[in-house]
Amino acid sequence: MASPHHIVTLVGSIRKESFTLKIANAFAKLAPASLKLEVTTLHGLSFFNQDLEANPPADWLAFREKIQKASGVLFITPEYNRSIPGVLKNAIDVASRPYGKSSFLGKPTGIVSNSPGPLGGVSAAKHLQNILPGISGPILGQPEIYLTAVGDAFNDKGELVKEPLQKVIQQYLSAFAAFVDRQIRASAGA
Ligand SMILES: Cc1cc2nc3c(=O)[nH]c(=O)nc-3n(C[C@H](O)[C@H](O)[C@H](O)COP(=O)(O)O)c2cc1C
């Protein structure tokens, strides 16, 4: 079998007990054999500052390189004030530069939102759909995935135990795996 596609999975919360991180870990665990998800938190990524662009800090370069080496990108985000958290926007800004050379370009992309509330962070996901198209690769449009009521979905070890959520995640991952495969074949001209 071919080696799995490496998917950088960006976690939109840096909270220690983050539901988003637990969900990202569940995605990594439930991923089909054709995908390997690298769960990536954004602790310590320094603020984007255009003054530093000519001589970028080492952490920006390492972050950009990580994205560039990946076969795809999966965003998993909570919703802050009807949008994405600042740490995630900062990471997008860092990886989107230099102008015209976004590290995300060409990478098949997935968007997943979640919330302990009833709307599943849909506004954050919609904002990502606005932000990304000019600087990313193709974005999987269907199925959409907004994970609701995640607050009681985990056991003491942080593992996802809510079966309906597991099912939705598996369905999404299987569509995402097929999408990544299609996009990679198409860009290779196969
Ligand atoms: C600053 C802030 C703003 C928030 N705004 C929203 C919101 O607009 N919609 C929503 O569903 N939840 C909102 N929440 C609740 C978050 O969904 C909740 O805190 C969630 O646990 C954060 O994700 P995490 O567990 O991955 O850290 C907000 C939380 C914070 C701290």
Side-chain angles (χ1 to χ4, degrees), residues 48 53 63-64 67 89-105 131-132 134-136:
F48 180 76
E53 282 207 288
F63 183 66
R64 288 170 183 168
I67 309 280
K89 182 59 163 61
N90 182 59
I92 292 169
D93 292 341
V94 167
S96 71
R97 303 291 287 189
Y99 178 73
K101 294 189 174 157
S102 165
S103 301
F104 297 119
L105 285 175
I131 291 165
L132 291 174
I135 52 161
S136 76

mmCIF file of all heavy atoms in Angstrom, residues 48 53 63-64 67 89-105 131-132 134-136:
data_model
loop_
_atom_site.group_PDB
_atom_site.id
_atom_site.type_symbol
_atom_site.label_atom_id
_atom_site.label_comp_id
_atom_site.label_asym_id
_atom_site.label_seq_id
_atom_site.Cartn_x
_atom_site.Cartn_y
_atom_site.Cartn_z
ATOM 1 N N PHE A 48 2.399 37.541 14.064
ATOM 2 C CA PHE A 48 2.791 38.085 12.768
ATOM 3 C C PHE A 48 2.992 39.589 12.894
ATOM 4 O O PHE A 48 2.194 40.290 13.528
ATOM 5 C CB PHE A 48 1.725 37.808 11.700
ATOM 6 C CG PHE A 48 2.139 38.375 10.389
ATOM 7 C CD1 PHE A 48 3.112 37.736 9.640
ATOM 8 C CD2 PHE A 48 1.646 39.585 9.944
ATOM 9 C CE1 PHE A 48 3.568 38.284 8.453
ATOM 10 C CE2 PHE A 48 2.091 40.130 8.760
ATOM 11 C CZ PHE A 48 3.052 39.477 8.010
ATOM 12 N N GLU A 53 9.115 40.783 8.182
ATOM 13 C CA GLU A 53 9.009 39.901 7.012
ATOM 14 C C GLU A 53 10.332 39.706 6.285
ATOM 15 O O GLU A 53 10.584 38.636 5.755
ATOM 16 C CB GLU A 53 7.964 40.443 6.040
ATOM 17 C CG GLU A 53 6.563 40.137 6.510
ATOM 18 C CD GLU A 53 5.578 40.055 5.366
ATOM 19 O OE1 GLU A 53 5.263 41.106 4.800
ATOM 20 O OE2 GLU A 53 5.143 38.948 5.042
ATOM 21 N N PHE A 63 7.178 26.789 11.034
ATOM 22 C CA PHE A 63 5.749 26.554 10.859
ATOM 23 C C PHE A 63 5.403 26.488 9.364
ATOM 24 O O PHE A 63 4.686 25.587 8.916
ATOM 25 C CB PHE A 63 4.952 27.651 11.567
ATOM 26 C CG PHE A 63 3.469 27.448 11.494
ATOM 27 C CD1 PHE A 63 2.860 26.370 12.129
ATOM 28 C CD2 PHE A 63 2.663 28.337 10.783
ATOM 29 C CE1 PHE A 63 1.485 26.176 12.061
ATOM 30 C CE2 PHE A 63 1.287 28.150 10.712
ATOM 31 C CZ PHE A 63 0.705 27.070 11.347
ATOM 32 N N ARG A 64 5.937 27.423 8.597
ATOM 33 C CA ARG A 64 5.678 27.413 7.146
ATOM 34 C C ARG A 64 6.188 26.116 6.516
ATOM 35 O O ARG A 64 5.522 25.523 5.664
ATOM 36 C CB ARG A 64 6.368 28.618 6.492
ATOM 37 C CG ARG A 64 5.699 29.939 6.820
ATOM 38 C CD ARG A 64 6.557 31.100 6.342
ATOM 39 N NE ARG A 64 5.970 32.382 6.709
ATOM 40 C CZ ARG A 64 6.610 33.540 6.629
ATOM 41 N NH1 ARG A 64 7.865 33.586 6.193
ATOM 42 N NH2 ARG A 64 6.006 34.663 6.978
ATOM 43 N N ILE A 67 3.918 23.143 7.057
ATOM 44 C CA ILE A 67 2.751 23.148 6.153
ATOM 45 C C ILE A 67 3.190 22.760 4.738
ATOM 46 O O ILE A 67 2.539 21.951 4.068
ATOM 47 C CB ILE A 67 2.098 24.547 6.104
ATOM 48 C CG1 ILE A 67 1.808 25.105 7.495
ATOM 49 C CG2 ILE A 67 0.854 24.564 5.205
ATOM 50 C CD1 ILE A 67 0.582 24.610 8.159
ATOM 51 N N LYS A 89 -6.005 32.688 13.645
ATOM 52 C CA LYS A 89 -5.867 33.717 12.604
ATOM 53 C C LYS A 89 -4.394 34.117 12.454
ATOM 54 O O LYS A 89 -3.894 34.314 11.329
ATOM 55 C CB LYS A 89 -6.735 34.933 12.957
ATOM 56 C CG LYS A 89 -6.702 36.057 11.919
ATOM 57 C CD LYS A 89 -7.172 35.580 10.552
ATOM 58 C CE LYS A 89 -7.541 36.733 9.624
ATOM 59 N NZ LYS A 89 -6.432 37.637 9.352
ATOM 60 N N ASN A 90 -3.701 34.206 13.599
ATOM 61 C CA ASN A 90 -2.284 34.544 13.543
ATOM 62 C C ASN A 90 -1.500 33.485 12.752
ATOM 63 O O ASN A 90 -0.662 33.818 11.912
ATOM 64 C CB ASN A 90 -1.715 34.654 14.969
ATOM 65 C CG ASN A 90 -0.259 35.049 14.965
ATOM 66 O OD1 ASN A 90 0.104 36.107 14.437
ATOM 67 N ND2 ASN A 90 0.601 34.210 15.528
ATOM 68 N N ALA A 91 -1.813 32.217 13.010
ATOM 69 C CA ALA A 91 -1.107 31.145 12.305
ATOM 70 C C ALA A 91 -1.373 31.225 10.801
ATOM 71 O O ALA A 91 -0.469 31.009 9.980
ATOM 72 C CB ALA A 91 -1.548 29.787 12.850
ATOM 73 N N ILE A 92 -2.615 31.535 10.456
ATOM 74 C CA ILE A 92 -2.952 31.663 9.029
ATOM 75 C C ILE A 92 -2.173 32.832 8.421
ATOM 76 O O ILE A 92 -1.610 32.717 7.327
ATOM 77 C CB ILE A 92 -4.483 31.844 8.862
ATOM 78 C CG1 ILE A 92 -5.213 30.558 9.256
ATOM 79 C CG2 ILE A 92 -4.827 32.252 7.437
ATOM 80 C CD1 ILE A 92 -6.723 30.688 9.376
ATOM 81 N N ASP A 93 -2.125 33.948 9.143
ATOM 82 C CA ASP A 93 -1.392 35.113 8.627
ATOM 83 C C ASP A 93 0.087 34.772 8.426
ATOM 84 O O ASP A 93 0.677 35.113 7.394
ATOM 85 C CB ASP A 93 -1.549 36.306 9.580
ATOM 86 C CG ASP A 93 -2.977 36.846 9.612
ATOM 87 O OD1 ASP A 93 -3.747 36.564 8.659
ATOM 88 O OD2 ASP A 93 -3.338 37.539 10.580
ATOM 89 N N VAL A 94 0.677 34.073 9.407
ATOM 90 C CA VAL A 94 2.099 33.705 9.309
ATOM 91 C C VAL A 94 2.330 32.826 8.075
ATOM 92 O O VAL A 94 3.240 33.069 7.271
ATOM 93 C CB VAL A 94 2.567 32.970 10.596
ATOM 94 C CG1 VAL A 94 3.921 32.297 10.382
ATOM 95 C CG2 VAL A 94 2.624 33.935 11.779
ATOM 96 N N ALA A 95 1.491 31.786 7.918
ATOM 97 C CA ALA A 95 1.721 30.825 6.832
ATOM 98 C C ALA A 95 1.311 31.374 5.469
ATOM 99 O O ALA A 95 1.707 30.833 4.435
ATOM 100 C CB ALA A 95 0.977 29.529 7.125
ATOM 101 N N SER A 96 0.526 32.457 5.458
ATOM 102 C CA SER A 96 0.055 33.000 4.172
ATOM 103 C C SER A 96 1.112 33.855 3.464
ATOM 104 O O SER A 96 0.924 34.226 2.312
ATOM 105 C CB SER A 96 -1.186 33.870 4.396
ATOM 106 O OG SER A 96 -0.834 35.092 5.045
ATOM 107 N N ARG A 97 2.189 34.156 4.171
ATOM 108 C CA ARG A 97 3.192 35.068 3.631
ATOM 109 C C ARG A 97 4.455 34.311 3.266
ATOM 110 O O ARG A 97 4.659 33.202 3.751
ATOM 111 C CB ARG A 97 3.517 36.159 4.682
ATOM 112 C CG ARG A 97 2.325 36.945 5.131
ATOM 113 C CD ARG A 97 1.750 37.846 4.084
ATOM 114 N NE ARG A 97 2.613 38.996 3.859
ATOM 115 C CZ ARG A 97 2.299 40.060 3.129
ATOM 116 N NH1 ARG A 97 1.101 40.142 2.550
ATOM 117 N NH2 ARG A 97 3.133 41.042 2.961
ATOM 118 N N PRO A 98 5.410 34.796 2.439
ATOM 119 C CA PRO A 98 5.320 36.072 1.745
ATOM 120 C C PRO A 98 4.149 36.121 0.767
ATOM 121 O O PRO A 98 3.650 35.085 0.328
ATOM 122 C CB PRO A 98 6.639 36.143 0.972
ATOM 123 C CG PRO A 98 7.512 35.089 1.538
ATOM 124 C CD PRO A 98 6.635 34.070 2.137
ATOM 125 N N TYR A 99 3.766 37.327 0.423
ATOM 126 C CA TYR A 99 2.636 37.552 -0.477
ATOM 127 C C TYR A 99 2.774 36.704 -1.747
ATOM 128 O O TYR A 99 3.826 36.690 -2.380
ATOM 129 C CB TYR A 99 2.546 39.043 -0.856
ATOM 130 C CG TYR A 99 1.422 39.316 -1.833
ATOM 131 C CD1 TYR A 99 0.095 39.293 -1.411
ATOM 132 C CD2 TYR A 99 1.687 39.548 -3.179
ATOM 133 C CE1 TYR A 99 -0.943 39.502 -2.304
ATOM 134 C CE2 TYR A 99 0.653 39.768 -4.079
ATOM 135 C CZ TYR A 99 -0.650 39.738 -3.636
ATOM 136 O OH TYR A 99 -1.671 39.937 -4.521
ATOM 137 N N GLY A 100 1.723 35.973 -2.062
ATOM 138 C CA GLY A 100 1.722 35.142 -3.275
ATOM 139 C C GLY A 100 2.388 33.791 -3.077
ATOM 140 O O GLY A 100 2.380 32.958 -3.972
ATOM 141 N N LYS A 101 2.995 33.582 -1.906
ATOM 142 C CA LYS A 101 3.705 32.318 -1.671
ATOM 143 C C LYS A 101 3.175 31.618 -0.415
ATOM 144 O O LYS A 101 3.946 31.044 0.361
ATOM 145 C CB LYS A 101 5.204 32.581 -1.528
ATOM 146 C CG LYS A 101 5.823 33.079 -2.811
ATOM 147 C CD LYS A 101 7.320 33.120 -2.725
ATOM 148 C CE LYS A 101 7.879 33.491 -4.086
ATOM 149 N NZ LYS A 101 9.202 34.056 -4.015
ATOM 150 N N SER A 102 1.876 31.692 -0.227
ATOM 151 C CA SER A 102 1.280 31.048 0.945
ATOM 152 C C SER A 102 1.678 29.573 1.011
ATOM 153 O O SER A 102 1.613 28.852 0.012
ATOM 154 C CB SER A 102 -0.242 31.158 0.849
ATOM 155 O OG SER A 102 -0.841 30.274 1.770
ATOM 156 N N SER A 103 2.035 29.136 2.203
ATOM 157 C CA SER A 103 2.407 27.724 2.387
ATOM 158 C C SER A 103 1.213 26.792 2.188
ATOM 159 O O SER A 103 1.377 25.600 1.981
ATOM 160 C CB SER A 103 2.983 27.515 3.790
ATOM 161 O OG SER A 103 4.111 28.324 3.963
ATOM 162 N N PHE A 104 0.016 27.338 2.277
ATOM 163 C CA PHE A 104 -1.195 26.511 2.134
ATOM 164 C C PHE A 104 -1.556 26.238 0.663
ATOM 165 O O PHE A 104 -2.379 25.365 0.392
ATOM 166 C CB PHE A 104 -2.411 27.219 2.757
ATOM 167 C CG PHE A 104 -2.323 27.469 4.238
ATOM 168 C CD1 PHE A 104 -2.362 28.765 4.742
ATOM 169 C CD2 PHE A 104 -2.230 26.419 5.140
ATOM 170 C CE1 PHE A 104 -2.324 29.012 6.104
ATOM 171 C CE2 PHE A 104 -2.185 26.653 6.512
ATOM 172 C CZ PHE A 104 -2.230 27.952 6.994
ATOM 173 N N LEU A 105 -0.967 26.981 -0.251
ATOM 174 C CA LEU A 105 -1.392 26.884 -1.657
ATOM 175 C C LEU A 105 -1.288 25.445 -2.159
ATOM 176 O O LEU A 105 -0.288 24.768 -1.916
ATOM 177 C CB LEU A 105 -0.546 27.803 -2.549
ATOM 178 C CG LEU A 105 -0.859 29.301 -2.467
ATOM 179 C CD1 LEU A 105 0.140 30.098 -3.324
ATOM 180 C CD2 LEU A 105 -2.288 29.614 -2.903
ATOM 181 N N ILE A 131 -11.882 33.364 4.687
ATOM 182 C CA ILE A 131 -10.471 33.751 4.797
ATOM 183 C C ILE A 131 -9.589 32.988 3.817
ATOM 184 O O ILE A 131 -8.672 33.550 3.216
ATOM 185 C CB ILE A 131 -9.969 33.464 6.250
ATOM 186 C CG1 ILE A 131 -10.611 34.413 7.266
ATOM 187 C CG2 ILE A 131 -8.450 33.554 6.338
ATOM 188 C CD1 ILE A 131 -10.453 33.954 8.721
ATOM 189 N N LEU A 132 -9.874 31.669 3.677
ATOM 190 C CA LEU A 132 -8.876 30.789 3.062
ATOM 191 C C LEU A 132 -8.772 30.799 1.539
ATOM 192 O O LEU A 132 -7.665 30.619 1.020
ATOM 193 C CB LEU A 132 -9.114 29.341 3.541
ATOM 194 C CG LEU A 132 -8.802 29.094 5.020
ATOM 195 C CD1 LEU A 132 -9.206 27.666 5.407
ATOM 196 C CD2 LEU A 132 -7.320 29.308 5.316
ATOM 197 N N GLY A 134 -8.261 32.559 -1.050
ATOM 198 C CA GLY A 134 -7.168 33.217 -1.796
ATOM 199 C C GLY A 134 -5.784 32.712 -1.446
ATOM 200 O O GLY A 134 -4.817 32.966 -2.175
ATOM 201 N N ILE A 135 -5.677 31.978 -0.351
ATOM 202 C CA ILE A 135 -4.335 31.588 0.115
ATOM 203 C C ILE A 135 -4.193 30.089 0.353
ATOM 204 O O ILE A 135 -3.146 29.631 0.815
ATOM 205 C CB ILE A 135 -4.004 32.302 1.454
ATOM 206 C CG1 ILE A 135 -5.118 32.079 2.486
ATOM 207 C CG2 ILE A 135 -3.743 33.788 1.226
ATOM 208 C CD1 ILE A 135 -4.687 32.344 3.912
ATOM 209 N N SER A 136 -5.253 29.335 0.057
ATOM 210 C CA SER A 136 -5.196 27.893 0.361
ATOM 211 C C SER A 136 -5.312 27.091 -0.925
ATOM 212 O O SER A 136 -5.423 27.640 -2.026
ATOM 213 C CB SER A 136 -6.345 27.495 1.304
ATOM 214 O OG SER A 136 -7.567 27.424 0.607
#
